[in-house]
Amino acid sequence: MQSTTSAECGMPATIGRAVTNAAARLGERLEAELLLAHALERDRAWLYAHAGDPIEAERWRACLELVRQRQCGRPVAYLLGQREFYGREFEVGDGVLIPRPETELLIDIALQLPLPEQARVVDVGTGSGCIALTLALERPGWQVMATDISAEALAIAHRNRKWLGADAVELLRGNLLEPLVNIHPDLVISNPPYVAEGDPHLARGDVRFEPQTALVAGSDGLDVIRELVQQSARALAAGGCLLIEHGHDQAGEVRHLLQAADFHAIASHRDLAGIERVTLGRRT
Ligand code: GLN
């Protein structure tokens, strides 16, 4: 009797056929390429240059396992273990929110603020560290600190700090600004949890797999922002800024919270989709 050939097992013979096969399973070519490239420890361009090469059975099995998890909804960023943010690769995993393009707006605005050369900056709820580490790398003069209540998140932030060589960034465990003792920052920046409990959005797409503590903040989604505004009002240096990302319908509410806490020069900024996504206030 003849031994079973790989073709009989439904295994694609070449890299090119493996792409087609995975794409058919996912109904999505880009994701198929990303997952196959990951299983092969190559990049997408390599797949094109080697489309006629045979594929090893073990690699194809690894790819199929990634495809299976993707079919169950697991985010591509978690399957790849990384996501690009502001032009740099960050490790991501179950314990952290996946960096999103709209959060790059927070970076753009922070970089334009009239801050001192050696500004003290705190990223609250840093997660993967994407905001704090990006700011430190874009502005080497700034003294950047980052806090997070989650030990799991901080472990990932530590690895990203090392990988990106942003050694000077201080990573502190604790709630919001509480780990800071006698420090009066010039900028508090945050992408805090801001989704309301029970928001139907939480039952769809990538967010189903992301940590609830990084997403959800009470019945109106503003619990953490309310606390952050209070703590920042006490901690910020004179003239210091608070810059917060928030939900698509929260800008008015966040401006009110800042007004009530005596911030001035309050302004909201729109993201690329035209949604007021980030709000800024200054201490007198
Ligand atoms: N922007 C995210 C979302 O809509 C929420 C992120 C957050 O709560 N900070 O899923």
Side-chain angles (χ1 to χ4, degrees):
M1 220 174 94
Q2 253 191 328
S3 65
T4 319
T5 65
S6 33
E8 280 167 283
C9 293
M11 190 189 141
T14 62
I15 302 288
R17 283 175 189 261
V19 171
T20 315
N21 185 318
R25 288 167 196 265
L26 290 171
E28 237 281 358
R29 193 175 168 99
L30 173 61
E31 288 187 1
E33 289 180 2
L34 288 167
L35 297 180
L36 178 62
H38 187 66
L40 292 164
E41 296 174 79
R42 304 283 183 178
D43 59 24
R44 281 177 58 226
W46 187 93
L47 301 178
Y48 285 89
H50 295 262
D53 289 10
I55 181 165
E56 290 168 33
E58 201 176 313
R59 300 285 187 176
W60 175 242
R61 270 197 300 277
C63 175
L64 278 185
E65 173 55 20
L66 294 171
V67 167
R68 189 192 62 73
Q69 291 193 44
R70 182 64 192 133
Q71 286 169 324
C72 295
R74 194 163 161 74
V76 173
Y78 287 167
L79 292 171
L80 304 179
Q82 60 181 42
R83 174 56 48 99
E84 190 198 301
F85 180 78
Y86 219 81
R88 299 181 182 88
E89 289 296 340
F90 286 81
E91 177 188 329
V92 295
D94 285 313
V96 297
L97 201 72
I98 299 164
R100 288 160 167 69
E102 58 265 32
T103 303
E104 294 180 335
L105 175 65
L106 211 54
I107 303 288
D108 283 334
I109 296 168
L111 295 177
Q112 285 163 23
L113 291 173
L115 294 175
E117 195 97 334
Q118 301 189 339
R120 282 203 265 211
V121 175
V122 186
D123 170 22
V124 171
T126 195
S128 64
C130 64
I131 296 171
L133 298 171
T134 299
L135 291 178
L137 293 165
E138 296 292 324
R139 291 287 181 275
W142 288 4
Q143 301 172 46
V144 181
M145 289 154 273
T147 72
D148 206 293
I149 201 160
S150 155
E152 205 183 347
L154 281 182
I156 293 180
H158 271 104
R159 288 200 290 277
N160 279 321
R161 178 176 71 179
K162 186 162 187 215
W163 152 253
L164 292 167
D167 305 336
V169 175
E170 271 185 75
L171 299 170
L172 306 164
R173 176 141 186 231
N175 187 40
L176 307 180
L177 293 170
E178 284 163 16
L180 271 66
V181 179
N182 288 327
I183 292 175
H184 299 289
D186 302 292
L187 171 64
V188 171
I189 185 168
S190 185
N191 173 20
Y194 55 69
V195 181
E197 279 162 10
D199 185 321
H201 170 77
L202 294 167
R204 290 197 287 266
D206 285 3
V207 285
R208 289 172 297 165
F209 293 80
E210 292 179 297
Q212 293 283 303
T213 45
L215 288 166
V216 180
S219 56
D220 63 355
L222 288 165
D223 279 7
V224 174
I225 290 181
R226 270 189 286 270
E227 181 62 29
L228 181 60
V229 169
Q230 291 310 316
Q231 289 194 17
S232 301
R234 290 194 294 271
L236 278 167
C241 296
L242 173 58
L243 186 60
I244 316 177
E245 177 178 323
H246 49 69
H248 65 97
D249 54 359
Q250 292 172 332
E253 200 60 46
V254 173
R255 288 194 297 266
H256 279 129
L257 290 170
L258 288 168
Q259 271 151 16
D262 273 341
F263 280 83
H264 73 111
I266 298 164
S268 299
H269 296 258
R270 291 178 194 278
D271 64 16
L272 291 173
I275 295 165
E276 287 184 323
R277 181 56 77 182
V278 166
T279 295
L280 172 73
R282 261 192 112 125
R283 292 306 284 159
T284 29

